[in-house]
Amino acid sequence: MTDPGRSCLVVGSSDGIGRRVVERMVADGWTVTGISRSPADSLGDRHHHHVLDVRAADYRAALAAVCDQRGPFDVAVYCAGVGDLLELDDLAAQRAAFEVNLLGAVDTFGVLYPAWRARRAGHFVVLSSLADKLLGPRSPGYNASKAAVSSYFESLALAVRGDGIAITNLRFGFVDTKLAKSPLRPFMLTRDRAARTVARVIARRPIRRSTPLPMVALCAALGLILQCRALLG
Ligand SMILES: NC(=O)c1ccc[n+]([C@@H]2O[C@H](COP(=O)([O-])OP(=O)(O)OC[C@H]3O[C@@H](n4cnc5c(N)ncnc54)[C@H](OP(=O)(O)O)[C@@H]3O)[C@@H](O)[C@H]2O)c1
């Protein structure tokens, strides 16, 4: 990932995978601008942080102002995410999953796209999940938001590649952060390993990357079982 002078935007950068991505990229010589609702400790001259909420009504305008001040960005990594367990008495958290995981990413790309099209360059990495193929009662908003993220951005990747722009849909299994709430977390990745994978997709620009492989196989099998169960009622 060493490429001095390159500039990256990380949305969802105060904690978890996003924070580790910021630390790694700054250490590797990138200039990094982070966005989240919380402030973040400074990592030096090549690190900037802006407190923004991707759910806010003025998010697009605020992000455009950040782009004017800190851009142009060569790469953007969308790490903002929420994933609460289902509480049937209060479905607001299920709605929030769509707003943060899906619509925040759609809006972020929408703001970046015109400048990238004009430059005929740009790479958008969005963090989806292997849960995008799972039906299940525990967190339907999370799973459905990730299904939409994967479908939307892989389709969009095909639409914009003629403009010289890459989109990568990065599908993780479990990563060791506060978002991983399941009591069982097989094949869980460290944040370091997740950030290394982000670095690798930035270098290679695939449309889809799914990892780790044993978890990909497990989710594929589980997805099939859950689909059959839904079909059979
Ligand atoms: N951890 C896993 O097991 C796992 C597995 C597969 C995929 N993923 C995906 O990886 C991504 C990162 O997850 P993580 O595990 O790193 O979660 P995390 O540790 O909870 O971090 C989430 C980040 O998103 C930011 N964020 C949340 N709501 C926001 C909002 N409304 N506006 C701006 N920023 C917001 C948070 O900062 P503030 O709270 O300061 O806003 C934080 O920096 C998510 O898309 C997640 O679905 C995670």
Side-chain angles (χ1 to χ4, degrees), residues 203-214:
R204 296 186 187 158
R205 298 166 49 116
I207 290 181
R208 179 192 297 174
R209 173 90 162 87
S210 307
T211 189
L213 281 181

Side-chain angles (χ1 to χ4, degrees), residues 4-17:
R6 297 197 77 200
S7 176
C8 181
L9 174 73
V10 179
V11 181
S13 61
S14 62
D15 201 358
I17 301 168

Side-chain angles (χ1 to χ4, degrees), residues 44-81:
D45 291 351
R46 279 182 291 98
H47 174 224
H48 311 284
H49 186 81
H50 294 259
V51 172
L52 296 182
D53 183 341
V54 303
R55 295 170 72 190
D58 66 349
Y59 172 66
R60 290 173 61 95
L63 176 61
V66 170
C67 292
D68 286 346
Q69 189 185 354
R70 307 287 184 201
F73 299 111
D74 300 294
V75 174
V77 187
Y78 191 87
C79 303

Side-chain angles (χ1 to χ4, degrees), residues 17 78 125-134 142-143 146-151 153-154 168-175 187 189 194 197-198 201 206-221 223:
I17 301 168
Y78 191 87
V125 179
V126 62
L127 269 53
S128 186
S129 167
L130 296 178
D132 62 358
K133 298 276 191 287
L134 299 182
Y142 183 78
N143 293 6
K146 293 301 182 180
V149 164
S150 294
S151 174
F153 282 102
E154 290 188 18
T168 296
N169 178 34
L170 178 49
R171 302 168 69 236
F172 283 123
F174 289 111
V175 182
F187 308 112
L189 302 178
T197 304
V198 171
V201 302
I207 290 181
R208 179 192 297 174
R209 173 90 162 87
S210 307
T211 189
L213 281 181
M215 193 62 186
V216 175
L218 190 63
C219 285

Side-chain angles (χ1 to χ4, degrees), residues 29-206:
W30 289 67
T31 297
V32 183
T33 299
I35 284 177
S36 63
R37 291 168 305 173
S38 320
D41 293 340
S42 172
L43 295 170
D45 291 351
R46 279 182 291 98
H47 174 224
H48 311 284
H49 186 81
H50 294 259
V51 172
L52 296 182
D53 183 341
V54 303
R55 295 170 72 190
D58 66 349
Y59 172 66
R60 290 173 61 95
L63 176 61
V66 170
C67 292
D68 286 346
Q69 189 185 354
R70 307 287 184 201
F73 299 111
D74 300 294
V75 174
V77 187
Y78 191 87
C79 303
V82 291
D84 288 300
L85 298 178
L86 179 64
E87 295 281 352
L88 281 171
D89 291 335
D90 180 6
L91 294 174
Q94 302 305 308
R95 179 187 173 87
F98 290 95
E99 292 171 345
V100 178
N101 303 353
L102 174 65
L103 297 178
V106 170
D107 282 348
T108 300
F109 183 82
V111 171
L112 294 167
Y113 176 63
W116 281 355
R117 184 174 53 184
R119 296 173 68 205
R120 295 196 59 77
H123 184 190
F124 191 76
V125 179
V126 62
L127 269 53
S128 186
S129 167
L130 296 178
D132 62 358
K133 298 276 191 287
L134 299 182
L135 300 176
R138 286 172 57 83
S139 44
Y142 183 78
N143 293 6
S145 71
K146 293 301 182 180
V149 164
S150 294
S151 174
Y152 179 72
F153 282 102
E154 290 188 18
S155 301
L156 201 59
L158 301 173
V160 299
R161 65 181 173 183
D163 293 329
I165 297 167
I167 297 179
T168 296
N169 178 34
L170 178 49
R171 302 168 69 236
F172 283 123
F174 289 111
V175 182
D176 189 10
T177 74
K178 70 178 187 309
L179 191 135
K181 297 188 175 87
S182 169
L184 287 177
R185 284 164 284 177
F187 308 112
M188 186 158 71
L189 302 178
T190 63
R191 296 173 197 203
D192 260 341
R193 176 93 182 272
R196 260 204 318 276
T197 304
V198 171
R200 212 168 296 130
V201 302
I202 288 173
R204 296 186 187 158
R205 298 166 49 116

